[in-house]
Amino acid sequence: MLIGNSSSCFIVAEAPLQYSNTSQIWDCMTPKEVVQKNYECFSTGDMVTFRTLYAENAIVKVNGIHKLSGTYHGPDNWMSALAHMPKLYDEFKIDVVNIIAEGNQVFAMLHVTAAGSGKMEADFGHFYKIEDGKIAEFHIFDDSQKMAATMNAA
């Protein structure tokens, strides 16, 4: 099924049984485009497509000692953590400031605003390693003190 295109490359969908009509193969996307799509999906709430951007054995590491800190294995484990975001923050907005790619490594600089038990405005850094067109590693270097101070008591 044709979904769209990116840089003259077609985006094709496959449907594994457990994610009928959700898994997508992103042919010809550069590592930078995969990361850009990751933020686009997160910002618009398209978590179906978001999940397809991660390799099944992806590792996601969140720095700090707050409620979301830790290491997550695979997209389902990562998404189960993200499912807590709506109760931890009343609002959470990511603005991409810059994305730099070299080979299969991508770094994103972000400006984030959030509201919960307080208000937060901070700059974050995210590092990705892309393998076979999917996010294989995602290291989140956020201002964990500001994040923890802003989280609701959920």
Side-chain angles (χ1 to χ4, degrees):
M1 176 169 138
L2 180 63
I3 294 181
N5 67 44
S6 173
S7 302
S8 302
C9 298
F10 292 104
I11 300 169
V12 180
E14 279 186 355
L17 293 177
Q18 73 273 29
Y19 294 100
S20 182
N21 297 321
T22 64
S23 182
Q24 298 177 353
I25 300 171
W26 304 96
D27 290 335
C28 302
M29 285 182 75
T30 66
K32 183 176 181 177
E33 290 171 328
V34 171
V35 170
Q36 288 170 321
K37 188 70 171 174
N38 183 65
Y39 292 116
E40 176 187 319
C41 291
F42 182 84
S43 294
T44 62
D46 181 1
M47 301 314 277
V48 170
T49 303
F50 179 89
R51 187 200 182 284
T52 68
L53 298 172
Y54 288 80
E56 287 303 315
N57 61 347
I59 304 287
V60 178
K61 294 184 178 183
V62 182
N63 75 318
I65 54 172
H66 55 73
K67 295 173 186 174
L68 297 175
S69 297
T71 300
Y72 301 93
H73 301 274
D76 293 329
N77 187 222
W78 174 225
M79 290 185 69
S80 70
L82 291 177
H84 297 283
M85 293 283 289
K87 61 185 171 193
L88 294 175
Y89 299 101
D90 301 322
E91 300 171 21
F92 194 89
K93 183 178 181 229
I94 294 176
D95 290 312
V96 177
V97 175
N98 197 8
I99 297 178
I100 301 166
E102 184 173 333
N104 69 335
Q105 298 180 32
V106 181
F107 180 81
M109 183 175 176
L110 313 165
H111 185 75
V112 178
T113 55
S117 64
K119 296 220 182 267
M120 175 182 75
E121 188 169 335
D123 294 320
F124 293 172
H126 291 172
F127 173 79
Y128 296 83
K129 187 173 182 184
I130 310 299
E131 294 177 357
D132 299 321
K134 303 265 187 177
I135 298 167
E137 293 179 29
F138 179 20
H139 300 268
I140 300 172
F141 305 107
D142 294 346
D143 189 328
S144 59
Q145 290 179 326
K146 285 185 179 180
M147 285 189 71
T150 307
M151 287 180 178
N152 289 320

